Amino acid sequence: MRVLLVDDHQVVRRGLRTFLEVQDDIEVVGEAADGAEGVARTEELRPDVVLMDVKMPGTDGIEALRRLRGLGNPARVLIVTSFTEQRTVVPALRAGAAGYVYKDVDPDALAGAIRSVHAGHVLLQPEVAGALLSQEEANGASGGGRSGSLTEREREVLGLIADGRSNREIARALVLSEKTVKTHVSNILMKLDLADRTQAALWAVRHGLTD
């Protein structure tokens, strides 16, 4: 897995690089000190996963996420930050982050998180999911009242998305091709007017499609 580090603190980047470079399946391909540089380096280096801080001078991590989404860049972004407030967590995930971990995370857990988002999982810690759900309930949830438009198969796929399964794992569980699963996911997002898998997972939790 090709990984890019985006953090304004050199000591943090150095520490992350030192740990990650001993992982057999992870290659650190570059670093960036702010969001704008992170976007440029992501476009240049095409990493599989970007470790992105949120609070940085100039272009912050949330704006960088929005720019990457606008560019259609396929890199999976894992937020690594010390901020836990809802006003930081929620916008980052809404902007397209595939997961959110804190800087005091155990190193082995961080490596596992990188592998997980690379495999297509959505990493939502319980308190993060709760923050998103509570805000969506306060603002009015997207996709409300549209559950009847989903087929039974799409509901099965949606439930597995909420369980954190990748497309490959969903295909294996339902005995489908991965291409067929991708089509189901696209249809689910379109029918429920949702932007990404994170929103789909939250919708499924809210509507009781998880175990």
Coordinates of all heavy atoms in Angstrom, one line a residue, residues 107-166:
P107 N 0.1 2.1 17.7 CA 0.7 2.0 16.4 C 0.2 0.8 15.6 O -0.1 0.9 14.4 CB 2.2 1.8 16.7 CG 2.4 2.6 18.0 CD 1.1 2.3 18.8
D108 N 0.0 -0.3 16.2 CA -0.5 -1.5 15.5 C -1.9 -1.3 15.0 O -2.3 -1.7 14.0 CB -0.4 -2.8 16.4 CG 1.0 -3.2 16.6 OD1 1.9 -2.9 15.7 OD2 1.3 -3.9 17.6
A109 N -2.7 -0.6 15.9 CA -4.1 -0.3 15.5 C -4.1 0.7 14.3 O -5.0 0.6 13.5 CB -4.8 0.3 16.7
L110 N -3.1 1.6 14.3 CA -3.1 2.6 13.1 C -2.8 1.8 11.8 O -3.4 2.0 10.8 CB -2.0 3.6 13.4 CG -1.7 4.6 12.2 CD1 -3.0 5.3 11.9 CD2 -0.6 5.5 12.5
A111 N -1.8 0.9 11.9 CA -1.5 0.1 10.7 C -2.8 -0.7 10.3 O -3.1 -0.8 9.1 CB -0.4 -0.9 11.0
G112 N -3.5 -1.3 11.3 CA -4.7 -2.0 10.9 C -5.8 -1.1 10.3 O -6.5 -1.5 9.4
A113 N -5.8 0.2 10.8 CA -6.8 1.1 10.2 C -6.4 1.5 8.8 O -7.3 1.6 7.9 CB -6.8 2.4 11.1
I114 N -5.2 1.6 8.5 CA -4.7 1.9 7.1 C -5.1 0.7 6.2 O -5.7 0.9 5.1 CB -3.2 2.1 7.1 CG1 -2.8 3.4 7.8 CG2 -2.7 2.2 5.6 CD1 -1.4 3.6 8.0
R115 N -4.9 -0.5 6.7 CA -5.2 -1.7 5.9 C -6.7 -1.7 5.7 O -7.2 -2.1 4.6 CB -4.7 -2.9 6.5 CG -3.2 -3.0 6.6 CD -2.7 -4.3 7.2 NE -1.2 -4.3 7.4 CZ -0.6 -4.1 8.5 NH1 -1.2 -4.0 9.6 NH2 0.7 -4.1 8.5
S116 N -7.5 -1.4 6.7 CA -8.9 -1.5 6.7 C -9.5 -0.5 5.6 O -10.3 -0.9 4.8 CB -9.5 -1.2 8.0 OG -10.9 -1.3 8.0
V117 N -9.1 0.8 5.7 CA -9.7 1.7 4.7 C -9.2 1.4 3.3 O -9.9 1.6 2.3 CB -9.3 3.2 5.1 CG1 -9.9 3.5 6.4 CG2 -7.8 3.5 5.1
H118 N -8.0 0.9 3.2 CA -7.5 0.5 1.8 C -8.3 -0.6 1.3 O -8.5 -0.7 0.0 CB -6.0 0.0 1.9 CG -5.4 -0.4 0.7 ND1 -5.2 -1.8 0.4 CD2 -5.1 0.3 -0.5 CE1 -4.7 -1.9 -0.9 NE2 -4.6 -0.7 -1.4
A119 N -8.8 -1.5 2.1 CA -9.7 -2.6 1.7 C -11.1 -2.2 1.4 O -11.9 -3.0 0.9 CB -9.7 -3.7 2.7
G120 N -11.4 -0.9 1.6 CA -12.7 -0.4 1.3 C -13.7 -0.2 2.5 O -14.8 0.1 2.3
H121 N -13.2 -0.5 3.7 CA -14.0 -0.3 4.9 C -14.2 1.1 5.2 O -13.4 2.0 4.9 CB -13.3 -1.0 6.1 CG -13.2 -2.5 5.9 ND1 -14.3 -3.4 6.1 CD2 -12.1 -3.3 5.6 CE1 -13.8 -4.6 5.9 NE2 -12.5 -4.6 5.6
V122 N -15.3 1.4 5.9 CA -15.5 2.7 6.5 C -15.3 2.6 8.0 O -15.9 1.7 8.7 CB -17.0 3.2 6.3 CG1 -17.2 4.5 7.1 CG2 -17.2 3.4 4.8
L123 N -14.3 3.3 8.6 CA -13.9 3.2 10.0 C -14.7 4.3 10.8 O -14.3 5.5 10.7 CB -12.4 3.4 10.1 CG -11.5 2.2 10.1 CD1 -10.1 2.7 10.4 CD2 -11.9 1.2 11.0
L124 N -15.7 3.9 11.5 CA -16.5 4.8 12.4 C -16.4 4.3 13.8 O -17.0 3.3 14.1 CB -17.9 4.8 11.9 CG -18.2 5.6 10.6 CD1 -19.7 5.5 10.3 CD2 -17.8 7.0 10.7
Q125 N -15.6 5.0 14.6 CA -15.6 4.7 16.0 C -17.0 5.0 16.6 O -17.7 5.9 16.1 CB -14.5 5.5 16.7 CG -13.1 5.1 16.2 CD -12.0 6.0 16.9 OE1 -12.3 6.9 17.6 NE2 -10.8 5.7 16.6
P126 N -17.4 4.3 17.7 CA -18.8 4.5 18.2 C -19.1 5.9 18.5 O -20.2 6.4 18.1 CB -18.8 3.6 19.5 CG -17.8 2.5 19.2 CD -16.7 3.2 18.4
E127 N -18.2 6.6 19.1 CA -18.5 8.0 19.4 C -18.6 8.9 18.2 O -19.4 9.9 18.2 CB -17.5 8.6 20.4 CG -16.1 8.8 19.9 CD -15.2 7.5 20.0 OE1 -15.8 6.4 20.2 OE2 -14.0 7.7 20.0
V128 N -17.9 8.6 17.1 CA -17.9 9.3 15.9 C -19.3 9.0 15.2 O -19.9 10.0 14.7 CB -16.8 8.9 15.0 CG1 -16.9 9.6 13.6 CG2 -15.4 9.3 15.7
A129 N -19.7 7.8 15.1 CA -21.0 7.5 14.5 C -22.1 8.2 15.3 O -23.0 8.7 14.7 CB -21.2 6.0 14.6
G130 N -22.0 8.2 16.6 CA -23.0 8.9 17.4 C -23.1 10.3 17.1 O -24.1 10.9 17.1
A131 N -21.9 11.0 16.9 CA -21.9 12.4 16.6 C -22.6 12.7 15.3 O -23.3 13.6 15.2 CB -20.4 12.9 16.6
L132 N -22.3 11.8 14.3 CA -22.9 12.0 13.0 C -24.4 11.8 13.0 O -25.2 12.6 12.5 CB -22.3 11.1 12.0 CG -20.9 11.5 11.4 CD1 -20.2 10.3 10.8 CD2 -21.1 12.6 10.4
L133 N -24.8 10.8 13.7 CA -26.2 10.5 13.8 C -27.0 11.6 14.5 O -28.1 12.0 14.1 CB -26.5 9.1 14.5 CG -26.1 7.9 13.7 CD1 -26.1 6.7 14.6 CD2 -27.1 7.7 12.6
S134 N -26.4 12.1 15.6 CA -27.1 13.1 16.4 C -27.2 14.4 15.6 O -28.3 15.1 15.6 CB -26.4 13.4 17.7 OG -25.1 13.9 17.5
Q135 N -26.2 14.7 14.8 CA -26.3 15.9 14.0 C -27.3 15.8 12.9 O -28.0 16.7 12.6 CB -24.9 16.3 13.4 CG -24.9 17.6 12.7 CD -23.6 18.1 12.2 OE1 -23.2 17.8 11.1 NE2 -22.8 18.8 13.0
E136 N -27.3 14.6 12.2 CA -28.2 14.4 11.1 C -29.6 14.4 11.6 O -30.5 14.9 10.9 CB -27.9 13.1 10.4 CG -26.6 13.1 9.6 CD -26.5 12.0 8.5 OE1 -27.3 11.1 8.6 OE2 -25.6 12.1 7.7
E137 N -29.9 13.9 12.8 CA -31.2 13.9 13.3 C -31.6 15.3 13.6 O -32.8 15.7 13.4 CB -31.3 13.0 14.6 CG -31.2 11.5 14.3 CD -31.0 10.7 15.6 OE1 -30.8 11.4 16.7 OE2 -31.0 9.5 15.5
A138 N -30.7 16.2 14.1 CA -31.0 17.6 14.4 C -31.3 18.3 13.1 O -32.1 19.2 13.0 CB -29.9 18.2 15.1
N139 N -30.6 18.0 12.0 CA -30.7 18.8 10.8 C -31.7 18.2 9.8 O -32.0 18.8 8.8 CB -29.3 18.8 10.1 CG -28.3 19.6 10.9 OD1 -28.6 20.4 11.7 ND2 -27.0 19.3 10.6
G140 N -32.1 16.9 10.0 CA -33.0 16.3 9.1 C -32.1 15.4 8.2 O -31.3 15.8 7.5
A141 N -32.3 14.1 8.3 CA -31.5 13.1 7.6 C -31.7 13.0 6.1 O -32.9 13.1 5.7 CB -31.6 11.7 8.2
S142 N -30.7 12.9 5.4 CA -30.8 12.6 3.9 C -31.3 11.2 3.7 O -31.1 10.3 4.4 CB -29.4 12.7 3.2 OG -28.9 14.0 3.4
G143 N -32.1 11.1 2.6 CA -32.6 9.8 2.3 C -33.8 9.3 3.1 O -34.2 8.2 2.9
G144 N -34.3 10.1 4.0 CA -35.4 9.7 4.8 C -36.6 9.4 4.0 O -36.9 10.1 3.0
G145 N -37.3 8.3 4.3 CA -38.6 8.0 3.6 C -38.4 7.3 2.3 O -39.4 7.1 1.6
R146 N -37.2 6.9 1.9 CA -37.0 6.3 0.6 C -36.6 4.8 0.7 O -36.2 4.2 -0.3 CB -35.8 7.0 -0.1 CG -36.1 8.5 -0.4 CD -35.0 9.1 -1.3 NE -35.3 10.4 -1.6 CZ -34.8 11.5 -1.0 NH1 -34.0 11.3 0.1 NH2 -35.0 12.7 -1.4
S147 N -36.8 4.3 1.9 CA -36.4 2.9 2.1 C -37.2 1.9 1.2 O -36.7 0.9 0.7 CB -36.5 2.4 3.5 OG -37.8 2.6 4.0
G148 N -38.4 2.3 0.8 CA -39.2 1.5 0.0 C -38.7 1.3 -1.4 O -39.2 0.4 -2.2
S149 N -37.9 2.3 -1.8 CA -37.3 2.2 -3.2 C -36.2 1.2 -3.4 O -35.8 0.9 -4.5 CB -36.9 3.6 -3.6 OG -35.7 4.0 -2.9
L150 N -35.7 0.7 -2.2 CA -34.6 -0.3 -2.3 C -35.1 -1.7 -2.6 O -36.2 -2.1 -2.0 CB -33.8 -0.3 -1.0 CG -33.1 1.0 -0.6 CD1 -32.3 0.8 0.7 CD2 -32.1 1.5 -1.7
T151 N -34.4 -2.4 -3.4 CA -34.8 -3.8 -3.5 C -34.3 -4.6 -2.3 O -33.5 -4.1 -1.5 CB -34.1 -4.4 -4.8 OG1 -32.7 -4.4 -4.6 CG2 -34.5 -3.6 -6.0
E152 N -34.7 -5.8 -2.2 CA -34.3 -6.7 -1.1 C -32.8 -6.9 -1.1 O -32.1 -6.8 -0.1 CB -35.0 -8.0 -1.1 CG -34.7 -8.9 0.2 CD -35.1 -8.2 1.5 OE1 -36.1 -7.5 1.5 OE2 -34.4 -8.4 2.5
R153 N -32.2 -7.1 -2.3 CA -30.8 -7.3 -2.4 C -30.0 -6.0 -2.0 O -29.0 -6.1 -1.4 CB -30.5 -7.7 -3.9 CG -29.0 -7.9 -4.1 CD -28.4 -9.0 -3.3 NE -28.6 -10.3 -3.9 CZ -28.4 -11.5 -3.4 NH1 -28.0 -11.5 -2.1 NH2 -28.6 -12.6 -4.0
E154 N -30.6 -4.9 -2.5 CA -29.9 -3.6 -2.1 C -29.9 -3.4 -0.6 O -28.9 -2.9 0.0 CB -30.6 -2.4 -2.8 CG -30.3 -2.4 -4.3 CD -31.2 -1.5 -5.1 OE1 -32.2 -1.0 -4.5 OE2 -30.9 -1.3 -6.3
R155 N -31.0 -3.8 0.1 CA -31.0 -3.7 1.5 C -30.0 -4.6 2.2 O -29.4 -4.3 3.2 CB -32.4 -4.0 2.0 CG -33.5 -3.0 1.6 CD -34.9 -3.5 2.0 NE -35.1 -3.5 3.5 CZ -35.4 -2.4 4.2 NH1 -35.7 -1.2 3.6 NH2 -35.6 -2.5 5.5
E156 N -29.8 -5.8 1.6 CA -28.8 -6.7 2.1 C -27.4 -6.1 2.0 O -26.6 -6.1 2.9 CB -28.8 -8.0 1.4 CG -30.0 -8.9 1.7 CD -30.0 -10.2 0.9 OE1 -29.6 -10.2 -0.3 OE2 -30.5 -11.2 1.4
V157 N -27.1 -5.5 0.8 CA -25.8 -4.9 0.5 C -25.6 -3.7 1.5 O -24.5 -3.5 2.1 CB -25.7 -4.4 -0.9 CG1 -24.5 -3.5 -1.2 CG2 -25.7 -5.6 -1.9
L158 N -26.7 -2.9 1.7 CA -26.6 -1.8 2.6 C -26.3 -2.2 4.0 O -25.5 -1.5 4.7 CB -27.9 -0.9 2.5 CG -27.9 0.4 3.3 CD1 -26.8 1.3 3.0 CD2 -29.3 1.0 3.0
G159 N -26.9 -3.2 4.5 CA -26.6 -3.7 5.8 C -25.2 -4.2 6.0 O -24.6 -3.9 7.0
L160 N -24.6 -4.8 4.9 CA -23.2 -5.2 5.0 C -22.2 -4.0 4.9 O -21.2 -4.0 5.5 CB -22.9 -6.2 3.9 CG -23.6 -7.6 4.0 CD1 -23.5 -8.4 2.8 CD2 -23.0 -8.3 5.2
I161 N -22.6 -3.0 4.2 CA -21.8 -1.7 4.2 C -21.8 -1.2 5.6 O -20.7 -0.8 6.1 CB -22.4 -0.7 3.2 CG1 -22.3 -1.1 1.8 CG2 -21.8 0.7 3.5 CD1 -23.0 -0.2 0.8
A162 N -22.9 -1.2 6.3 CA -22.9 -0.7 7.7 C -22.1 -1.5 8.6 O -21.6 -1.0 9.6 CB -24.4 -0.6 8.2
D163 N -21.9 -2.8 8.3 CA -21.1 -3.7 9.1 C -19.6 -3.4 8.8 O -18.7 -4.1 9.4 CB -21.4 -5.1 8.8 CG -22.7 -5.5 9.4 OD1 -23.2 -4.8 10.4 OD2 -23.3 -6.5 9.0
G164 N -19.3 -2.5 7.9 CA -17.9 -2.2 7.6 C -17.3 -3.1 6.5 O -16.0 -3.2 6.3
R165 N -18.1 -3.9 5.7 CA -17.6 -4.8 4.7 C -17.1 -4.0 3.5 O -17.8 -3.1 3.1 CB -18.6 -5.8 4.4 CG -19.2 -6.6 5.5 CD -18.3 -7.6 6.1 NE -19.0 -8.5 7.0 CZ -19.6 -9.6 6.7 NH1 -19.6 -10.0 5.4 NH2 -20.3 -10.3 7.6
S166 N -16.1 -4.5 2.9 CA -15.7 -4.0 1.6 C -16.5 -4.6 0.5 O -17.2 -5.6 0.7 CB -14.2 -4.3 1.3 OG -14.0 -5.7 1.2

